[in-house]
Amino acid sequence: MNSEAMRLTLRMTKALADIQRVRILMMMGAGELCVCQVIEVLTLAPSTVSKHLSILTAAGLLDSRKAGRWMYYRLPEGSAGEWVRPVLKWLGEMLKNEPVVVQDAKKMKMVVACDPQSLCRRQRRGE
Amino acid sequence: MNSEAMRLTLRMTKALADIQRVRILMMMGAGELCVCQVIEVLTLAPSTVSKHLSILTAAGLLDSRKAGRWMYYRLPEGSAGEWVRPVLKWLGEMLKNEPVVVQDAKKMKMVVACDPQSLCRRQRRGE
DNA sequence: GCTATGATTCGCCACATAACGAATTAATAA
DNA sequence: TTATTAATTCGTTATGTGGCGAATCATAGC
């Protein structure tokens, strides 16, 4: 840890200090998700969700992968997530019975069931 | 954990999302401190420091004790700090070599050396 | 090339928050 | 009681942040 430590730490804690971003992290426990899937669960504007995802990524709390037009986000694996995992574990234990989180998980199941393509099409038509 | 969990969690993460409050938490590792000592190290207005301390306390990250005119703050002990300790440990490891934190610790030694009474008197006269 | 489309960036607005000094509170000391 | 004093609360200001829609970017498909 060098003099960047504080900057990095605050980037993380600030990233965690928002309910939508916490909800996203909890959702990601189930595996990687594309942006439109996160939009569907949070029911926020695409631009808003994209911003949240970029903040989480900049904080090292998410990794991303581009596949064609789709962007997939997931929890960081391996050594990349060493500093992150304890935080996520702590969050998970704090929130495992939180209604919002449980509800999001349920909605996630529905969303993962239909493929992203048809999901985005529905979104374009306005739900 | 009930439906309050998210509120509590966000109160904690928001409390951690500020550099002055992180500095305060790191300082408290050395033991309980009165407000004027924290003021001395952070070199911020008393009202500002008081606010930070109240935010940390409301988040469960600090306990307080009143002794005469002095108010002492410390890290929560025993079962009260069960959810807090892992976070503080994580913070401590992230920041143990952070210049600001090291410098604060050094200043703390000087501050603890002189008694609070004379410290506050000096502050009143404007450093 | 052109169009369609998933995602991001930009500009804006409303609201939250950190900082200060002044006023207030609570407790000691005169 | 009155004055002093450590801390807090209040009011104000400047800055930061979350939200949206419009515009833009990047890739797939025609």
Side-chain angles (χ1 to χ4, degrees), chain B residues 49-68:
Chain B
V49 172
S50 181
K51 189 80 207 299
H52 282 311
L53 289 167
S54 82
I55 288 170
L56 286 167
T57 304
L61 291 163
L62 287 182
D63 276 349
S64 62
R65 165 177 84 84
K66 189 161 196 169

Side-chain angles (χ1 to χ4, degrees), chain A residues 48-106:
Chain A
T48 304
V49 171
S50 181
K51 189 81 207 303
H52 283 310
L53 289 167
S54 81
I55 288 171
L56 287 167
T57 304
L61 292 162
L62 287 182
D63 276 348
S64 62
R65 165 177 84 83
K66 189 161 197 170
R69 277 178 288 201
W70 281 272
M71 197 72 178
Y72 288 94
Y73 289 87
R74 65 181 180 285
L75 300 180
E77 286 153 36
S79 65
E82 243 159 59
W83 287 104
V84 171
R85 251 184 304 278
V87 180
L88 294 173
K89 193 183 168 215
W90 176 80
L91 259 190
E93 280 173 37
M94 290 280 289
L95 299 173
K96 65 179 164 218
N97 294 321
E98 167 65 33
V100 181
V101 172
V102 174
Q103 211 169 338
D104 286 350
K106 202 184 289 184

Side-chain angles (χ1 to χ4, degrees), chain A residues 6, chain B residues 19-27 41-42 100 104:
Chain A
M6 183 63 89
Chain B
I19 186 170
Q20 317 294 5
R21 292 196 287 269
V22 168
R23 287 173 72 194
I24 291 173
L25 287 177
M26 299 300 289
M27 290 163 55
V41 175
L42 298 186
V100 181
D104 286 350

Side-chain angles (χ1 to χ4, degrees), chain A:
Chain A
M1 292 299 102
N2 48 22
S3 63
E4 295 279 281
M6 183 63 89
R7 253 164 36 85
L8 294 173
T9 303
L10 285 173
R11 239 207 297 251
M12 260 197 227
T13 55
K14 280 174 194 282
L16 294 171
D18 177 272
I19 186 170
Q20 316 296 4
R21 292 195 287 268
V22 168
R23 288 172 73 194
I24 291 173
L25 287 177
M26 298 300 290
M27 288 164 56
M28 291 292 171
E32 74 175 3
L33 298 173
C34 88
V35 180
C36 63
Q37 292 174 313
V38 178
I39 290 171
E40 188 70 15
V41 175
L42 298 186
T43 55
L44 289 172
S47 58
T48 304
V49 171
S50 181
K51 189 81 207 303
H52 283 310
L53 289 167
S54 81
I55 288 171
L56 287 167
T57 304
L61 292 162
L62 287 182
D63 276 348
S64 62
R65 165 177 84 83
K66 189 161 197 170
R69 277 178 288 201
W70 281 272
M71 197 72 178
Y72 288 94
Y73 289 87
R74 65 181 180 285
L75 300 180
E77 286 153 36
S79 65
E82 243 159 59
W83 287 104
V84 171
R85 251 184 304 278
V87 180
L88 294 173
K89 193 183 168 215
W90 176 80
L91 259 190
E93 280 173 37
M94 290 280 289
L95 299 173
K96 65 179 164 218
N97 294 321
E98 167 65 33
V100 181
V101 172
V102 174
Q103 211 169 338
D104 286 350
K106 202 184 289 184
K107 200 165 182 183
M108 268 298 305
K109 266 189 211 165
M110 309 280 290
V111 167
V112 178
C114 61
D115 69 320
Q117 205 153 359
S118 67
L119 185 64
C120 291
R121 207 152 4 211
R122 277 201 301 115
Q123 283 175 8
R124 232 174 305 116
R125 287 198 287 265
E127 205 74 7

